[in-house]
Amino acid sequence: MPELSVVVPAFAERESLPRLLTALEPALAGIDWEAIIVVDDAFDGSEDLVRERAQRDRRVRCVHRVGRRGLASACIEGMLASSAPYLAVMDADLQHDETLVPRLLDAAKRDDVDIVIASRYMQGGSTGELAAERVRMSRLAAALSRVLGHGLSDPMSGFFVVRRRFLERVVRRLYGRGFKILLDLIAAARGEVRIAELPYRMRSRQHGESKLGARVIAEFFMLILYHLTGRLLPARFFLFAAVGLTGVAVHLAVLWASFRLSGGSFFGSQMLATWAAMTSNFFLNNAFTYADQRLRGARIWRGLASFYVACGIGAFINLAVAEWLYLQSFAYWLAGLAGALIASFWNFFTTASFTWGGAAAPRR
Ligand SMILES: Nc1nc2c(ncn2[C@@H]2O[C@H](COP(=O)(O)OP(=O)(O)O)[C@@H](O)[C@H]2O)c(=O)[nH]1
Ligand SMILES: [Mg+2]
């Protein structure tokens, strides 16, 4: 059995993958290693390049995921595909210095720690030529992530070595979505984790493009909320609720505009506003909350119709609950809030199975 599995998430990294596999060979000389490349389908033939290599080198394996996306889930599935006692996670794009891997492994063994992080922000480390804006964002995220209770210099790093025993202990508590698998692992440990950091200089990307985008930033906040609220609700609920809040803004904006333009027709304006908010909620949820299983093509319209039906019933429940509480002489705002909350649970759980097909099932 190899001592170390190098898990590499890859999406559209055709140019970089063969170079990385070639670079691992001398970098890991003297270590009994294997590499598990988790390739999400980008229709660019990345998986063929990895398999070609695997046919010549039995240490290399390809996990090809079809119809799936997600850096964190790719790392988790790659790590779970291994039986080695130590797991390294590193990017495919050659930004992570593979020559550091033996030292990460040594530190993990010597100091009896659970995770050894390659840090860009400690003395001796550097972000290389990463754009100034990206560095600012990354530092801000690092500061925010301290609310999860760790004084690490680079909790946003995507380059680290972890003990498999530790992974097994926390794997069922992971958020498992988005970009930040390291922060997820640390938060899921609830303080019971021993961590070491080593500095490294990040290289700049030579091939392909960065996949960081708006969705990744939204997911980051959801990851923090998920762990802060004690993982009570399915992770997806937080994104769904955030989209719901934007729906309130859309509703009020449309109501305001229509009420003014129509010269004071409240009922019609309220209907239009409700329709607009439901529609924008659907498309935002489809783009963000369910980004990993987005409805496309003709399925969008069927999904939209089912979303209208589910949320329409939700609105009715909202009214009924709020009215009943109000009649029980609860304060009007409390009655209103309770109605809205219960309706949002209804909307979430029904659209999860009805519109997006059972996707909300908590990952246990
Ligand atoms: N399997 C898989 N890998 C991904 C996905 N998104 C990003 N990656 C990989 O994760 C690594 C880091 O992504 P990158 O775009 O370089 O992020 P950046 O370094 O923060 O700009 C790269 O190896 C990407 O190919 C994904 O959805 N699935
Ligand atoms: Mg990168």
Side-chain angles (χ1 to χ4, degrees):
M1 181 177 74
E3 176 177 38
L4 176 75
S5 274
V6 182
V7 174
V8 181
F11 181 77
E13 303 285 5
R14 219 191 126 74
E15 320 295 326
S16 309
L17 276 170
R19 291 179 170 83
L20 174 70
L21 289 169
T22 304
L24 282 180
E25 179 83 52
L28 301 181
I31 297 174
D32 189 0
W33 62 276
E34 65 175 355
I36 300 177
I37 320 293
V38 187
V39 180
D40 282 357
D41 221 4
F43 305 99
D44 67 341
S46 294
E47 63 280 3
D48 296 328
L49 291 177
V50 178
R51 283 197 203 108
E52 222 166 81
R53 186 70 66 125
Q55 273 160 4
R56 284 182 279 124
D57 185 344
R58 58 169 68 238
R59 292 172 303 188
V60 175
R61 279 195 282 153
C62 176
V63 176
H64 181 201
R65 305 197 306 174
V66 175
R68 303 265 312 278
R69 273 300 299 278
L71 175 51
S73 64
C75 294
I76 296 169
E77 284 162 39
M79 290 191 284
L80 290 176
S82 148
S83 305
Y86 296 94
L87 308 159
V89 171
M90 67 188 296
D91 288 359
D93 57 11
L94 301 163
Q95 287 190 279
H96 295 163
D97 180 359
E98 65 284 343
T99 62
L100 186 69
V101 174
R103 290 211 286 131
L104 294 172
L105 177 65
D106 272 349
K109 285 199 272 190
R110 193 184 51 231
D111 304 335
D112 201 34
V113 293
D114 299 307
I115 305 180
V116 185
I117 304 172
S119 164
R120 296 161 290 182
Y121 299 125
M122 69 193 290
Q123 188 88 47
S126 121
T127 46
E129 293 157 36
L130 203 60
E133 193 192 336
R134 278 292 303 273
V135 174
R136 263 201 303 278
M137 227 163 67
S138 169
R139 280 188 181 275
L140 178 72
L144 268 174
S145 70
R146 305 233 159 84
V147 301
L148 292 177
H150 287 271
L152 299 168
S153 69
D154 195 358
M156 298 295 119
S157 178
F159 186 18
F160 56 91
V161 165
V162 58
R163 264 173 208 271
R164 205 166 59 87
R165 250 187 296 132
F166 171 79
L167 173 77
E168 283 170 8
R169 178 149 63 79
V170 303
V171 70
R172 291 181 181 81
R173 296 199 291 260
L174 292 174
Y175 177 68
R177 298 163 47 87
F179 240 53
K180 298 303 165 195
I181 180 62
L182 175 63
L183 185 60
D184 201 0
L185 285 168
I186 294 171
R190 299 178 182 153
E192 282 173 40
V193 51
R194 297 158 302 171
I195 304 173
E197 294 185 291
L198 288 179
Y200 85 106
R201 296 183 142 271
M202 192 177 190
R203 300 190 198 118
S204 47
R205 204 183 235 284
Q206 305 291 344
H207 310 275
E209 283 169 12
S210 169
K211 281 98 206 170
L212 189 108
R215 203 183 88 216
V216 170
I217 297 166
E219 285 281 7
F220 171 68
F221 285 101
M222 296 309 130
L223 168 73
I224 290 188
L225 268 179
Y226 173 68
H227 283 293
L228 279 183
T229 53
R231 301 169 279 268
L232 268 178
L233 287 163
R236 237 181 253 281
F237 179 78
F238 297 99
L239 273 175
F240 191 84
V243 167
L245 286 181
T246 70
V248 174
V250 170
H251 186 108
L252 290 177
V254 173
L255 181 62
W256 175 81
S258 162
F259 190 68
R260 295 215 132 193
L261 289 176
S262 67
S265 147
F266 179 74
F267 193 72
S269 303
Q270 173 74 356
M271 279 204 357
L272 186 69
T274 306
W275 172 82
M278 282 203 296
T279 309
S280 101
N281 279 1
F282 171 77
F283 284 104
L284 285 176
N285 276 318
N286 199 40
F288 290 95
T289 317
Y290 292 97
D292 54 339
Q293 51 198 84
R294 192 174 295 171
L295 303 176
R296 294 171 203 274
R299 291 176 63 208
I300 288 186
W301 307 113
R302 221 190 57 206
L304 181 61
S306 70
F307 192 81
Y308 284 149
V309 172
C311 295
I313 298 172
F316 185 77
I317 293 173
N318 179 352
L319 280 177
V321 170
E323 171 76 359
W324 181 75
L325 286 175
Y326 183 68
L327 292 177
Q328 305 294 310
S329 51
F330 278 87
Y332 75 91
W333 60 269
L334 207 60
L337 191 65
L341 259 174
I342 289 175
S344 69
F345 285 122
W346 163 274
N347 289 350
F348 174 68
F349 286 104
T350 50
T351 60
S353 52
F354 205 36
T355 307
W356 284 282
R363 305 169 351 100
R364 296 215 189 285

